[in-house]
Amino acid sequence: MKAVRFALLGAATAALLIGTTACSSGSSGSEPAKSTGAAEKTDIAIGFNPGPYKEMFDGGILPILESEGYSVQEQDFTDGIVTNVAVSEGEIDANIIQHPVYMDFVNAQEGLSNVALVQVPTPRMALFGGKSTSLDDVKQGATVTVPNAPSNLYRGLLILRDAGLIGFDDVDDPNTADLSIITDNPHDLQITAIENAQQVPALQDVDYATIQGNFIIAGGLDYDDALAVEDQPIEFSNVVTVRDSDVDTDWAQAIKKAYESPEFIDFVTSDPQYDGYNLPEWFN
């Protein structure tokens, strides 16, 4: 896959470059974040979805922030829209759950102005077998699940296309994608878009599934068992998300600096569990 496929993703890419630069329940109940914008702010509240980003933050970023005098409250969410609204309304200061394409989709749908602060190492989407364990002899009418959020549905379809299972024309905006874009389906695959958090539990009931990286990790799947793995464009690499008015605050810049630090790079590159992740350019 090439990033050039996504001609109308300029806004997302620009946000990614400027900043350094997806799920319905609420938070875990921690106290709301303090008011933003003050240079002396040292209490930060950050939201996470299931997956590796919280563990990565706790092991590689939190020690750096605490050494600089910051205190971090963590809140768990399962819904990407709810997590973004929480940032926008000041319930939390940042979230680490999504790529810029999804962030832009939620911004447009909910009338938000959240922005990408910094890219983070991101596990790739992959195709796994459930009742079927190989792509060598795909049966007619095989069942497949893909994520139901349009941009991630599109990523799933790209994996299926690259595996030679379906055909379709590229779309300008992945946030507009749905199953109707499929033009060629020689195996008559029965493709269903479902809630991404349900894909791992449902894997035993279907033949195949294209699953987001964070749910692969959270669900205990092994990339060595994947039948295909995406070549992830930067637009689909996850970011730390903050309110647009908070990008230049001391605390936001401290988070950005921590992710770009040699200490964090060493933390990630020395741990085999992050092998194969899509890494930000400063890791090179």
Side-chain angles (χ1 to χ4, degrees):
M1 287 175 263
K2 301 294 182 181
V4 69
R5 287 173 172 157
F6 311 125
L8 296 187
L9 291 184
T13 306
L16 191 63
L17 295 174
I18 292 171
T20 339
T21 14
C23 308
S24 79
S25 70
S27 69
S28 63
S30 300
E31 290 297 317
K34 295 182 179 181
S35 59
T36 61
E40 69 275 9
K41 175 184 175 68
T42 58
D43 293 338
I44 309 170
I46 300 180
F48 296 89
N49 278 181
Y53 304 109
K54 182 175 181 178
E55 179 180 348
M56 188 187 303
F57 180 91
D58 287 346
I61 300 300
L62 184 58
I64 297 174
L65 294 178
E66 289 181 336
S67 72
E68 297 177 356
Y70 290 98
S71 176
V72 179
Q73 302 173 28
E74 299 180 350
Q75 298 192 33
D76 295 328
F77 295 79
T78 59
D79 187 279
I81 294 176
V82 172
T83 320
N84 278 297
V85 171
V87 169
S88 180
E89 294 184 350
E91 179 184 350
I92 57 178
D93 298 300
N95 67 47
I96 308 172
I97 68 162
Q98 66 194 338
H99 50 68
V101 181
Y102 182 76
M103 180 192 70
D104 287 348
F105 166 74
V106 177
N107 279 350
Q109 176 176 292
E110 303 296 323
L112 312 180
S113 56
N114 295 336
V115 297
L117 175 67
V118 63
Q119 183 187 349
V120 304
T122 306
R124 303 169 192 267
M125 183 178 283
L127 174 64
F128 283 86
K131 294 189 295 183
S132 297
T133 58
S134 171
L135 296 178
D136 292 338
D137 188 19
V138 178
K139 66 184 181 182
Q140 289 297 117
T143 53
V144 185
T145 65
V146 295
N148 63 355
S151 59
N152 291 322
L153 178 151
Y154 188 64
R155 294 168 66 191
L157 295 184
L158 286 170
I159 295 176
L160 295 176
R161 186 177 71 178
D162 287 350
L165 300 179
I166 60 172
F168 59 90
D169 293 328
D170 293 337
V171 300
D172 292 325
D173 182 0
N175 286 317
T176 66
D178 59 31
L179 297 177
S180 69
I181 69 173
I182 298 172
T183 57
D184 186 28
N185 188 357
H187 299 285
D188 192 27
L189 298 180
Q190 303 302 299
I191 304 174
T192 304
I194 69 173
E195 173 62 44
N196 48 20
Q198 298 304 314
Q199 286 192 276
V200 173
L203 185 58
Q204 62 183 349
D205 301 317
V206 298
D207 292 296
Y208 306 102
T210 58
I211 306 174
Q212 276 181 247
N214 56 315
F215 291 101
I216 291 172
I217 303 301
L221 298 179
D222 191 327
Y223 277 101
D224 289 341
D225 297 325
L227 303 178
V229 179
E230 73 174 341
D231 181 12
Q232 188 181 78
I234 192 171
E235 291 87 357
F236 292 129
S237 291
N238 279 25
V239 295
V240 177
T241 301
V242 298
R243 290 175 290 276
D244 58 353
S245 59
D246 285 339
V247 170
D248 294 324
T249 58
D250 288 350
W251 61 265
Q253 289 300 306
I255 294 174
K256 179 177 181 292
K257 182 179 178 181
Y259 273 101
E260 296 174 343
S261 69
E263 293 86 354
F264 180 66
I265 294 173
D266 288 344
F267 171 80
V268 170
T269 57
S270 65
D271 192 333
Q273 73 172 311
Y274 300 121
D275 290 350
Y277 276 45
N278 194 21
L279 301 176
E281 61 180 5
W282 58 84
F283 273 66
N284 298 322

